[in-house]
């Protein structure tokens, strides 16, 4: 019932998700643009956010409090909203969500992000339910010598062998739990 209410209230337009894999812990920044079908002082909902640390959350220029039990309260929704959240994520030990693996053969580190079925909120702020898809653009900062793949085609990458950010073209109608990223010193 709660998911139906949120889906009836919101029209999620886009996500801009930036992940910094060069930082320890990994840092994420999400900017979510969404509409509210019944705006006003009493209009409210929540975003999913279960990261280790929230460094800042701003809705339409207003600072928000910390999430409680994986929910970031979003009060006083306007017709058009911008939510920006900066957070720190931790590596999982389960092989789901954000995972770092050291290959015993080459000794190199590799990172995978598999958000299905419920790992997205542990990495970046989102509306993590199947009926709230949106256009999603992903950018990932990686160390020198790393390659990166994600859901969309590569739109921009750092010069060969250098550290920098990979940017992937927007994927329309994507759900947060569909985000998949692989990064590391792959040979291609």
């Amino acid at each position: 019932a709660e998911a139906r209410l949120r889906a009836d209230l919101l029209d999620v337009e886009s996500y801009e998700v930036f992940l910094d894999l060069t930082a320890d812990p990994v840092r994420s920044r999400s900017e979510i643009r969404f509409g509210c079908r019944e705006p006003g002082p009493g209009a409210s909902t929540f975003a999913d956010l279960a990261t280790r640390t929230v460094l800042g959350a701003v809705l339409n220029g207003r600072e928000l409090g910390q999430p409680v039990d994986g929910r970031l309260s979003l009060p006083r929704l306007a017709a058009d909203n911008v939510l920006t959240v900066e957070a720190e994520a931790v590596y999982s030990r389960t092989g789901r969500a954000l995972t770092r693996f050291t290959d015993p053969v080459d000794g190199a580190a590799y990172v995978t992000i598999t958000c299905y079925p419920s790992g997205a909120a542990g990495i970046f702020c989102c509306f993590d339910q199947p009926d709230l898809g949106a256009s999603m653009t992903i950018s990932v900062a990686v160390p020198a010598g790393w390659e990166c793949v994600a859901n969309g085609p590569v739109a921009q990458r750092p010069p060969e062998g250098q550290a920098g950010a990979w940017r992937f073209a927007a994927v329309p109608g994507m759900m947060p739990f569909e985000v998949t990223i692989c990064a590391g010193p792959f040979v291609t």
Side-chain angles (χ1 to χ4, degrees), residues 4-11 35-45 75-81:
R4 277 192 297 272
L5 286 173
R6 187 163 73 165
D8 289 344
L9 183 67
L10 302 182
D11 178 26
C36 175
R37 292 183 183 98
E38 298 175 26
S44 67
T45 190
R76 300 188 321 256
L77 295 175
D80 296 304
N81 301 276

Side-chain angles (χ1 to χ4, degrees), residues 35-125:
C36 175
R37 292 183 183 98
E38 298 175 26
S44 67
T45 190
F46 66 94
D48 301 290
L49 183 59
T51 57
R52 176 175 104 173
T53 304
V54 176
L55 303 171
V58 177
L59 174 64
N60 301 329
R62 295 185 324 265
E63 291 283 333
L64 298 174
Q66 293 290 309
V68 176
D69 295 328
R71 294 175 173 212
L72 179 64
S73 180
L74 305 176
R76 300 188 321 256
L77 295 175
D80 296 304
N81 301 276
V82 178
L83 172 62
T84 305
V85 176
E86 294 195 29
E88 293 178 341
V90 296
Y91 289 108
S92 161
R93 298 178 199 271
T94 65
R96 297 224 183 255
L98 175 63
T99 304
R100 184 178 180 97
F101 170 76
T102 301
D103 188 312
V105 175
D106 66 12
Y110 298 85
V111 173
T112 62
I113 295 173
T114 308
C115 292
Y116 184 83
S118 59
I123 303 168
F124 59 94
C125 186

Side-chain angles (χ1 to χ4, degrees), residues 116-168:
Y116 184 83
S118 59
I123 303 168
F124 59 94
C125 186
C126 58
F127 297 109
D128 200 10
Q129 65 186 64
D131 52 359
L132 289 176
S135 174
M136 187 170 299
T137 304
I138 298 171
S139 299
V140 184
V142 299
W146 279 30
E147 297 288 320
C148 190
V149 294
N151 296 78
V154 175
Q156 176 184 340
R157 64 173 287 163
E160 193 71 36
Q162 293 185 21
W166 290 68
R167 184 172 174 83
F168 298 89

Side-chain angles (χ1 to χ4, degrees), residues 2-20:
E2 189 174 54
R4 277 192 297 272
L5 286 173
R6 187 163 73 165
D8 289 344
L9 183 67
L10 302 182
D11 178 26
V12 185
E13 298 163 18
S14 67
Y15 287 89
E16 287 271 346
V17 176
F18 173 75
L19 301 171
D20 187 351

